[in-house]
Amino acid sequence: MLLLLFIGLVLFVRSPWGQDVIVTKITDYVSGKTNTKVAIDRLFLTFSGNLFLEGLYLEDKKGDTLVYSKALEANIGLSPLIFGNSLNLKSLKWEGLNANILREEGNEKFNFDFLVDAFAATDTVSAQPESEPMQINIGSVALNDFKIDYIDDYLGIDSRVHLGGFYAETNEIDLEKMRFTLDELMLSDTEIAYEQTKPFPASQDTTATALPFLAVDDLEVKSVKVNYEVVPDSMLADLAIGHFQLEMPKADLTKNDIEIERLALKGSDILVRSAKQPEMVEDTVTVARSEFEWPDLIVRAAEVDIQNNTLKYIAGSSKPEKGKFNPDAISIFDFTLLANSIFYRPKELNLELDKLAFKEKSGFRLNNLAFDANLGATAAEISQLELATGNSFLNGEIQLDYDTFDGLLDNPENSRIGLKIPELELALQDAFYFLPDLAQNEYIKNAANKSFTGTLNAKGTLAAIEIPDFEINWGENTSLTAQGQLNRVTRTDSLSFDFGTIATLSNRADILQFISEKDLGIAIPNTVLLEAAVKGSIDEIIADARLKIPEGIAKLTGNYSNKEQIAFDGTLMVDSLR
């Protein structure tokens, strides 16, 4: 009997006559309560028990469209919702939603508030005991072709969302524990615009909000555009996301513990525009440095895959310039960042950077930056370092040891350093992008005709760095080698040096690029070898030099002082000079 009754009820609900009765009752009721037009094409339960709503139309008080919904199908458990305290939404498919939410200038009410007022309870009831939070179980949610306009002239907000496709497959939603885990989340073919024309009023709400636990097995964003503008702050951000992917097993924001399996961004354009900041006035007041505190975070990232992106930053009306890097107008394209095994917790940082590369509008190119980095409470290391620009290249490793990180910041000269650069090629053209005035200097312009190549080894402390091996070559015929020591390199006013061995070799063709025989009235030898021992400081130098040319040998012993006045004292000896 119950089965026959149920079948009869389903047939009634699905029949044109039954649908007409149901729709008419609902629309007449809502329309009578709100005095607005309400229309529904179809409303029924499917044979699988799903609620199906087609062609919902609702006007606001001005006769404009408030909501239009093309088709909605929901598989929802009615008994737990009606008789219990849980929402069990197994699936939701919603297509073709148009919504217009408006609030006019000087009016605190939205254009939908009449609905709230019409159905708000007017009876005075006694206070009910606080109930348990509703249990929410959501399966899959699929949204397509949404157009939502939110225009709030009262607060100065104009936002619009044109959603192409959204799909979510949830695993757990616990409002009481603030725990949200998802199996899948996808957003595609969507445009979002937000404009704020007024400053927000200061918030008086000081209520602490519990931070959630988040997890998502696979989050993907494809073909999404976002335009964000805050007029009072002169801030604009324009994003065109080609493909973004996030696999995040854990983001426990209460404990600041984040674990990322994969983070990828490809084929995307990001523009940030802000007001140009005023020139900073140099402040001569010395401010004591506060004690360094490690950020209270734990972050793990197994893989970061960022490729072929464009990044732009514009301050005011500045524009990128060809041949000159402009920090107020940065335009980077072909930006790639590949990294893995990233780990951070207080007093520990590990990173394997496989590749960082980009091109800048000025013409500067970073072809590759790669290294393994380890930072700890008492040591830092960069190994397998490779740096290649459009013109320069180096590889090597750096080791830094210190007693405490605060000690490193307060007294860096006490830290112990080891530096090895077995291969170095330096082209001055790279410096011209950042210091274009250098290109106008005749000597530097000539020096840029050839690359500098060499090696460098250094060890010791920043208070006393021993340099057992330093070699630099300019082209094939000019070279400089040195062994010695640098002292107090972090303090330019007391910097000193002691190089027991310096040898430089060059030929006439190279020297003529910097010295004019006509102006000096001399003839440059075919080859020049200078061997010297030099020590002193910026203000005082003592040198013992030996100059060897094909015509003979000259020896010079002397000192130079620039303390109170410039002074020079020396002895010159000539041996077999022809």
Side-chain angles (χ1 to χ4, degrees):
M1 185 65 182
L2 291 176
L3 179 59
L4 293 175
L5 182 62
F6 174 76
I7 294 175
L9 179 62
V10 171
L11 293 175
F12 167 76
V13 169
R14 290 186 58 85
S15 68
W17 176 71
Q19 291 181 28
D20 184 61
V21 171
I22 296 173
V23 168
T24 301
K25 289 290 186 182
I26 293 176
T27 55
D28 287 349
Y29 175 74
V30 176
S31 182
K33 294 283 287 186
T34 62
N35 294 317
T36 59
K37 181 180 178 181
V38 180
I40 297 176
D41 291 342
R42 290 198 299 167
L43 174 63
F44 59 89
L45 291 174
T46 66
F47 284 111
S48 59
N50 293 355
L51 176 66
F52 188 86
L53 174 63
E54 185 176 87
L56 169 65
Y57 175 79
L58 180 63
E59 285 184 349
D60 63 15
K61 282 293 188 178
K62 292 185 176 181
D64 297 324
T65 300
L66 178 62
V67 173
Y68 173 75
S69 173
K70 182 180 179 181
L72 181 151
E73 183 176 357
N75 185 343
I76 185 169
L78 296 179
S79 296
L81 182 63
I82 297 173
F83 303 107
N85 189 31
S86 64
L87 172 63
N88 187 11
L89 180 62
K90 296 180 180 179
S91 66
L92 173 66
K93 295 180 181 179
W94 198 346
E95 180 181 359
L97 172 69
N98 286 356
N100 298 289
I101 302 172
L102 309 174
R103 181 161 62 164
E104 296 178 346
E105 180 75 47
N107 189 350
E108 295 189 7
K109 285 186 172 293
F110 287 95
N111 63 335
F112 62 81
D113 278 344
F114 72 94
L115 290 171
V116 179
D117 297 338
F119 294 97
T122 56
D123 296 336
T124 302
V125 295
S126 58
Q128 298 295 321
E130 185 175 344
S131 62
E132 293 292 326
M134 175 178 285
Q135 295 181 0
I136 299 178
N137 299 307
I138 298 178
S140 63
V141 176
L143 310 178
N144 292 283
D145 192 19
F146 273 37
K147 294 182 180 179
I148 302 173
D149 291 349
Y150 177 92
I151 301 174
D152 187 350
D153 292 332
Y154 181 79
L155 290 179
I157 298 175
D158 187 339
S159 61
R160 305 170 191 273
V161 177
H162 292 180
L163 185 148
F166 173 88
Y167 180 79
E169 187 79 35
T170 66
N171 184 27
E172 178 185 9
I173 296 180
D174 191 326
L175 296 178
E176 184 177 11
K177 296 181 180 179
M178 292 293 287
R179 187 179 179 91
F180 308 94
T181 64
L182 298 92
D183 294 329
E184 185 177 354
L185 181 64
M186 178 175 287
L187 178 66
S188 62
D189 303 315
T190 296
E191 294 185 10
I192 302 172
Y194 175 92
E195 182 182 19
Q196 180 185 328
T197 58
K198 297 178 182 180
F200 278 157
S203 174
Q204 303 299 323
D205 187 4
T206 59
T207 305
T209 303
L211 297 175
F213 177 97
L214 306 173
V216 56
D217 290 345
D218 185 19
L219 184 154
E220 291 194 59
V221 177
K222 297 181 179 179
S223 302
V224 172
K225 296 181 179 180
V226 179
N227 181 269
Y228 174 87
E229 183 174 8
V230 180
V231 176
D233 296 337
S234 299
M235 173 66 68
L236 180 143
D238 208 349
L239 290 74
I241 306 299
H243 183 206
F244 172 80
Q245 183 181 19
L246 175 65
E247 298 175 9
M248 185 175 66
K250 177 173 66 174
D252 191 341
L253 301 185
T254 300
K255 299 179 180 179
N256 290 331
D257 189 354
I258 300 172
E259 182 178 346
I260 296 173
E261 188 66 28
R262 175 176 168 80
L263 172 66
L265 178 66
K266 299 181 180 181
S268 301
D269 298 333
I270 300 174
L271 165 67
V272 176
R273 185 185 296 272
S274 69
K276 188 170 184 178
Q277 298 299 316
E279 296 288 337
M280 297 295 293
V281 178
E282 185 175 351
D283 191 351
T284 57
V285 178
T286 302
V287 179
R289 188 188 67 81
S290 58
E291 184 177 350
F292 176 80
E293 293 185 6
W294 294 83
D296 187 19
L297 292 169
I298 298 178
V299 178
R300 306 172 188 83
E303 180 186 8
V304 175
D305 183 3
I306 299 175
Q307 298 187 54
N308 303 322
N309 300 290
T310 298
L311 310 176
K312 295 181 181 180
Y313 167 75
I314 305 295
S317 58
S318 303
K319 296 182 179 180
E321 301 179 44
K322 188 69 175 177
K324 178 183 178 181
F325 176 77
N326 184 355
D328 290 328
I330 302 173
S331 180
I332 293 174
F333 53 99
D334 291 342
F335 180 83
T336 295
L337 172 62
L338 305 177
N340 61 80
S341 303
I342 301 171
F343 176 75
Y344 169 82
R345 66 182 174 188
K347 299 184 179 181
E348 184 178 355
L349 171 65
N350 301 310
L351 165 67
E352 293 182 12
L353 179 62
D354 296 327
K355 183 174 184 179
L356 172 62
F358 62 82
K359 301 173 185 176
E360 212 278 327
K361 185 71 172 182
S362 62
F364 177 78
R365 300 198 316 272
L366 178 63
N367 291 339
N368 186 37
L369 173 62
F371 57 79
D372 292 347
N374 297 284
L375 172 65
T378 60
E381 178 186 14
I382 295 179
S383 59
Q384 301 185 53
L385 171 63
E386 291 187 9
L387 172 63
T389 68
N391 303 289
S392 304
F393 174 82
L394 71 81
N395 61 46
E397 59 185 55
I398 305 171
Q399 174 72 41
L400 189 64
D401 296 292
Y402 39 85
D403 295 329
T404 65
F405 201 79
D406 264 313
L408 171 65
L409 299 179
D410 291 331
N411 300 294
E413 62 273 10
N414 295 332
S415 59
R416 299 164 295 282
I417 188 171
L419 174 65
K420 295 182 180 180
I421 302 180
E423 188 174 4
L424 167 68
E425 182 174 346
L426 176 64
L428 295 181
Q429 286 86 347
D430 286 330
F432 294 163
Y433 295 113
F434 305 95
L435 299 169
D437 290 343
L438 291 178
Q440 307 306 315
N441 184 294
E442 194 66 28
Y443 297 108
I444 295 179
K445 186 188 298 185
N446 290 338
N449 290 331
K450 301 177 184 179
S451 294
F452 292 88
T453 59
T455 61
L456 172 63
N457 289 322
K459 60 182 180 180
T461 67
L462 294 179
I465 299 179
E466 181 184 350
I467 303 176
D469 179 23
F470 174 64
E471 178 182 349
I472 192 78
N473 304 293
W474 186 64
E476 298 180 357
N477 300 307
T478 298
S479 64
L480 169 68
T481 59
Q483 295 85 40
Q485 182 171 301
L486 289 172
N487 303 310
R488 296 182 292 276
V489 295
T490 59
R491 301 181 181 181
T492 55
D493 57 338
S494 59
L495 173 68
S496 66
F497 49 85
D498 185 354
F499 284 91
T501 302
I502 296 178
T504 179
L505 174 67
S506 189
N507 64 7
R508 184 172 184 273
D510 285 354
I511 296 174
L512 285 176
Q513 296 195 46
F514 304 95
I515 295 177
S516 170
E517 292 179 316
K518 181 178 180 181
D519 292 343
L520 297 177
I522 60 173
I524 303 298
N526 289 328
T527 60
V528 175
L529 172 64
L530 176 64
E531 298 173 328
V534 181
K535 64 180 180 178
S537 63
I538 296 176
D539 298 326
E540 187 173 12
I541 300 174
I542 300 173
D544 186 359
R546 178 174 180 268
L547 177 67
K548 183 178 180 181
I549 58 177
E551 290 77 11
I553 300 173
K555 297 179 180 180
L556 174 64
T557 302
N559 59 74
Y560 163 83
S561 178
N562 187 24
K563 291 185 175 179
E564 297 180 357
Q565 61 181 6
I566 297 176
F568 177 79
D569 181 27
T571 301
L572 176 64
M573 298 179 59
V574 178
D575 183 12
S576 304
L577 187 64
R578 300 191 301 274

